[in-house]
């Protein structure tokens, strides 16, 4: 019943069986929640009842026996840890203190991309963005960059992603506890091996911090946790195991979620050049062209904000959140929910609920114009960070990282798909894990420093037959032209061009010099220096 992408399968099943479904997997009752109204019941009205996390094998092996925040069972320990993380590690002040580091790391990527642009090679954007978020997260958590080989020969990204997959894969041992010891899927063996990798590396990081002592005013997350541990000032036990569990929480939660979010936003921008141009136009207006984007600009980038929301609506990177767990029996909307049930909130389905969203399959950031819908957990039709007691405590940091990276990459470079690929050909297949990323890496070609003026409206004087209409529609979409007015002059060959081209630049309602062959193998809009081929497989922008 559930294949490689359970969030999509559950969405399909919910369309038939409704927004609150009961599914028994082995001995474990599962409640699948698939509409905004139902999500509000579980995450707001009865938030306290459903604030638990289910016990599961992965939590045991990969979170030092649920000592972290993400998988911690609801209770005094979790509440204290959550307070500590929110106040000490993820406060606005703390996040602000890492701002110069984020700027520096982003600057390094921009420099690298500038050089790559000169060589006209395609860039593996997925890999570059992922490395960037690894660097940012490592410096924030550990205070310095470690090399990939310091954790394992496979490197940070692969190791963290393996952990995310092991946590998300349905484990028979969780549903049939007596099968757990047999480890029929080999998951316990893998989790055991992985937990040793993490443990050894984090021990090394703690030792490095102990050796280095107090290094000055900017404290990384390990520094803060070490001083809490050494002060003995907590009401609860806090030793090296807790420090390691939180370290993994912070690292995994920040690098993979942010990288996948950026990957999906850039994918949608490449699929929708009109939107890309509008984002660039906003950046030119707010930031100008002679400096980098600063974090202080982000609040003024309203259209970018809409693009981020729209991408999260269609591609929530944690589509099933982290499973919640019922702490007691409860009746929700007439359904009896038993104690100890897993609660799966399907935000992928919620973002596609036709009762909540018109044209729900369409990527349309403009749907947020004049709308109060936000993504911070108050509006249950858009829940990329969850909501309530278990909602993401790193949301502010996550949003800064995501918006800053996207804004900077789109501000400095003009991007297009490689090898004349059409936007409609871009593969958007998902790869499931606790964090859903692209199955195929996102490849793109970039040009530095050219941000073409977006064209709001364009009068095309056109004299050929209707067959070309859809081709022109496609082309205008690719060029980011909002409105293409077709004016059929049918003037015949006026002999402007000996090679059969009609030069219509002198027609009164033409905005740009324009010529078209008799059978339009290409259209050249000289005014904007852009070219379209008959199958508009590529757009080549000349520097303005
Ligand atoms: C774009 C970036 C991010 C996204 C989309 C995201 C999304 C989420 C989601 C959906 C949850 C589960 C909520 C639930 O189960 O109800 C979550 C939990 C969590 N996130 Fe984030 N997150 C992001 C960034 C971060 C960052 C930067 C950090 C910290 C450095 C962080 C730390 C956590 C933690 C610790 C939890 C578990 C909270 C708990 O169980 O009490 N996240 N996040």
């Amino acid at each position: 019943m559930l294949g490689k992408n359970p969030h999509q399968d559950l969405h399909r099943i919910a369309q038939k069986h409704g927004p609150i479904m009961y599914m028994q997997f082995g001995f474990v009752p599962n409640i699948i929640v698939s509409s905004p109204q139902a999500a509000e019941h579980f995450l707001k009205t009865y938030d306290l009842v459903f604030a638990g996390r289910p016990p599961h094998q992965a939590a045991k092996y990969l979170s030092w026996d649920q000592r972290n925040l993400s998988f911690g069972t609801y209770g005094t320990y979790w509440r204290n840890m959550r307070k500590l993380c929110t106040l000490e590690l993820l406060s606005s002040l703390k996040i602000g203190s890492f701002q110069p580091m984020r700027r520096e790391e982003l600057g390094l990527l921009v420099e690298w991309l500038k050089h790559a642009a000169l060589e006209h090679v395609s860039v593996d954007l997925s890999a570059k963005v992922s490395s960037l978020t690894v660097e940012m997260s490592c410096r924030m958590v550990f205070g310095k960059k470690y090399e990939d080989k310091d954790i394992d020969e496979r490197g940070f990204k692969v190791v963290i992603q393996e952990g995310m997959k092991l946590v998300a894969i349905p484990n028979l041992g969780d549903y049939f506890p007596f099968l757990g010891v047999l480890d029929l899927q080999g998951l316990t063996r893998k989790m055991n091996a992985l937990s040793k990798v993490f443990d050894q590396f984090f021990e090394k990081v703690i030792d490095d911090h102990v050796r280095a002592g107090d290094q000055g005013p900017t404290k990384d997350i390990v520094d803060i946790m070490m001083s809490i541990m050494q002060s003995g000032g907590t009401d609860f036990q806090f030793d090296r195991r807790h420090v390691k569990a939180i370290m993994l929480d912070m690292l995994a939660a920040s690098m993979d979620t942010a990288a996948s979010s950026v990957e999906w936003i850039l994918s949608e921008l490449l699929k929708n050049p009109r939107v890309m141009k509008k984002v660039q136009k906003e950046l030119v207006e707010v930031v100008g062209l002679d400096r980098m984007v600063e974090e202080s600009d982000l609040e003024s980038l309203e259209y970018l904000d809409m693009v981020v929301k729209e991408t999260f609506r269609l591609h929530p990177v944690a589509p099933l959140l982290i499973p919640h767990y019922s702490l007691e029996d409860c009746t929700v909307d007439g359904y009896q929910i038993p104690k100890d049930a897993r609660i799966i909130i399907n935000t992928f389905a919620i973002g596609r609920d036709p009762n909540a969203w018109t044209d729900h399959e369409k990527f349309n950031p403009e749907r947020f114009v004049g709308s109060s819908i936000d993504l911070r957990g108050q509006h249950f039709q858009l829940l990329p960070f969850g909501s309530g007691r278990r909602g993401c405590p790193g949301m502010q940091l996550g949003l800064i990282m995501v918006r800053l990276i996207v804004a900077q990459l789109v501000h400095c470079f003009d991007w297009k798909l490689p090898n004349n690929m059409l936007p409609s050909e871009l593969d958007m297949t998902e790869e499931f894990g606790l964090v859903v990323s692209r199955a195929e890496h996102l490849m793109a070609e970039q040009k530095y420093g050219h941000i073409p003026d977006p064209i709001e409206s364009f009068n095309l004087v056109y004299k050929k037959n209707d067959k070309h209409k859809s081709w022109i529609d496609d082309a205008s979409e690719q060029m980011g032209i909002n409105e293409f007015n077709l004016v059929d002059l049918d003037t015949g060959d006026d002999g402007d061009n000996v090679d059969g081209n009609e030069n219509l630049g002198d027609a009164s309602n033409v905005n740009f010099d324009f010529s078209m062959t008799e059978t339009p193998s290409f259209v050249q809009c000289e005014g904007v220096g852009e070219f379209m081929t008959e199958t508009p497989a590529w757009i080549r922008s000349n520097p303005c």
Side-chain angles (χ1 to χ4, degrees), residues 462 465-474 486:
Y462 177 71
N465 57 42
D466 271 354
K467 135 180 139 183
H468 302 136
K469 169 105 174 51
S470 67
W471 166 75
I472 285 174
D473 284 347
D474 277 359
L486 289 186

Side-chain angles (χ1 to χ4, degrees), residues 10 19-25 28-35 37-44 46-56 70 175 318-332 335-347 350 383 386-387 390 434:
L10 290 172
I20 302 182
M21 296 189 294
Y22 180 101
M23 286 182 172
Q24 181 87 23
F25 298 150
V28 183
N30 286 266
I31 310 297
I32 320 297
V33 179
S34 309
S35 77
Q37 295 76 15
E40 184 165 357
H41 288 312
F42 283 86
L43 298 178
K44 186 175 171 189
Y46 301 106
D47 180 21
L48 184 55
V49 178
F50 300 112
R53 293 284 191 217
H56 60 124
S70 311
Y175 301 107
L320 302 179
L321 304 183
I322 302 173
H324 288 230
Y325 193 58
S326 52
L327 302 171
E328 54 187 70
D329 292 345
C330 182
T331 304
V332 177
Y335 294 91
Q336 288 181 3
I337 312 295
K339 180 174 182 284
D340 296 341
R342 275 173 169 244
I343 315 295
I344 312 283
I345 313 280
N346 191 349
T347 62
I350 291 171
L383 292 172
S387 176
R390 285 290 187 166
L434 198 57

Side-chain angles (χ1 to χ4, degrees), residues 43 53 69-71 78 82 90 140 249-250 253-254 257-258 261 312 317-318 321-324 383-387 389-395 397-399 401-402:
L43 298 178
R53 293 284 191 217
L69 200 57
S70 311
F71 303 138
W78 172 83
R82 173 112 186 174
L90 297 169
M140 180 177 67
D249 243 0
M250 296 294 128
S254 60
T257 48
S261 307
F312 274 135
V317 292
L321 304 183
I322 302 173
H324 288 230
L383 292 172
F385 296 93
S387 176
R389 284 181 168 72
R390 285 290 187 166
C392 177
M395 177 171 60
L397 174 61
L399 279 174
M401 286 170 77
V402 168

Side-chain angles (χ1 to χ4, degrees), residues 277-432:
K277 292 229 161 100
K278 235 175 134 175
V279 173
Q280 289 175 322
K281 179 172 182 248
E282 183 179 62
L283 283 161
V284 172
E285 283 164 9
V286 173
V287 181
L289 284 171
D290 51 6
R291 66 171 175 90
M292 279 180 72
V293 181
E294 295 292 339
E295 291 185 10
S296 53
D297 296 316
L298 296 177
E299 288 314 309
S300 313
L301 297 169
E302 287 174 14
Y303 188 65
L304 176 69
D305 200 45
M306 293 182 212
V307 169
V308 171
K309 283 185 199 166
E310 181 67 342
T311 309
F312 274 135
R313 181 182 72 80
L314 288 171
H315 310 280
V317 292
L320 302 179
L321 304 183
I322 302 173
H324 288 230
Y325 193 58
S326 52
L327 302 171
E328 54 187 70
D329 292 345
C330 182
T331 304
V332 177
D333 213 12
Y335 294 91
Q336 288 181 3
I337 312 295
K339 180 174 182 284
D340 296 341
R342 275 173 169 244
I343 315 295
I344 312 283
I345 313 280
N346 191 349
T347 62
F348 176 88
I350 291 171
R352 287 167 166 73
D353 183 342
N355 296 319
W357 304 100
T358 43
D359 277 341
H360 58 279
E361 290 294 345
K362 194 171 171 207
F363 182 80
N364 177 24
E366 281 77 3
R367 72 173 72 243
F368 291 103
V369 175
S371 152
S372 61
I373 297 176
D374 195 25
L375 42 62
R376 290 162 202 264
Q378 303 306 314
H379 299 96
F380 291 82
Q381 56 275 63
L382 192 61
L383 292 172
F385 296 93
S387 176
R389 284 181 168 72
R390 285 290 187 166
C392 177
M395 177 171 60
Q396 195 191 344
L397 174 61
L399 279 174
I400 290 178
M401 286 170 77
V402 168
R403 289 182 300 170
L404 181 69
I405 297 171
V406 172
Q408 192 60 74
L409 292 184
V410 170
H411 179 244
C412 282
F413 301 97
D414 209 12
W415 295 94
K416 70 184 181 83
L417 292 165
N419 307 322
N420 300 342
M421 187 194 286
L422 283 172
S424 56
E425 289 169 352
L426 180 62
D427 185 355
M428 299 289 268
T429 309
E430 301 176 327
E431 178 143 323
F432 185 73

Side-chain angles (χ1 to χ4, degrees), residues 364-539:
N364 177 24
E366 281 77 3
R367 72 173 72 243
F368 291 103
V369 175
S371 152
S372 61
I373 297 176
D374 195 25
L375 42 62
R376 290 162 202 264
Q378 303 306 314
H379 299 96
F380 291 82
Q381 56 275 63
L382 192 61
L383 292 172
F385 296 93
S387 176
R389 284 181 168 72
R390 285 290 187 166
C392 177
M395 177 171 60
Q396 195 191 344
L397 174 61
L399 279 174
I400 290 178
M401 286 170 77
V402 168
R403 289 182 300 170
L404 181 69
I405 297 171
V406 172
Q408 192 60 74
L409 292 184
V410 170
H411 179 244
C412 282
F413 301 97
D414 209 12
W415 295 94
K416 70 184 181 83
L417 292 165
N419 307 322
N420 300 342
M421 187 194 286
L422 283 172
S424 56
E425 289 169 352
L426 180 62
D427 185 355
M428 299 289 268
T429 309
E430 301 176 327
E431 178 143 323
F432 185 73
L434 198 57
V435 171
V436 168
S437 51
R438 290 177 51 84
E440 297 290 328
H441 276 208
L442 180 65
M443 306 293 295
E445 288 170 14
Q446 87 281 28
K447 193 148 77 166
Y448 174 61
H450 169 234
I451 299 168
D453 287 338
I455 311 152
E456 288 299 332
S457 129
F458 189 97
N459 282 343
L460 169 61
V461 177
Y462 177 71
K463 74 186 190 67
K464 288 292 163 193
N465 57 42
D466 271 354
K467 135 180 139 183
H468 302 136
K469 169 105 174 51
S470 67
W471 166 75
I472 285 174
D473 284 347
D474 277 359
S476 56
E477 172 72 19
Q478 286 204 20
M479 286 179 70
I481 299 170
N482 281 341
E483 189 186 320
F484 230 128
N485 302 318
L486 289 186
V487 183
D488 188 349
L489 288 183
D490 200 15
T491 52
D493 190 337
D494 61 12
D496 276 356
N497 284 314
V498 285
D499 59 2
N501 284 1
E502 291 300 311
N503 187 338
L504 302 169
D506 50 354
S508 59
N509 54 352
V510 172
N511 288 354
F512 299 98
D513 260 2
F514 173 82
S515 67
M516 181 174 14
T517 57
E518 291 288 327
T519 49
S521 60
F522 71 89
V523 175
Q524 181 180 356
C525 308
E526 289 164 356
V528 287
E530 299 212 7
F531 301 82
M532 294 178 277
T533 58
E534 180 168 18
T535 39
W538 50 269
I539 293 178

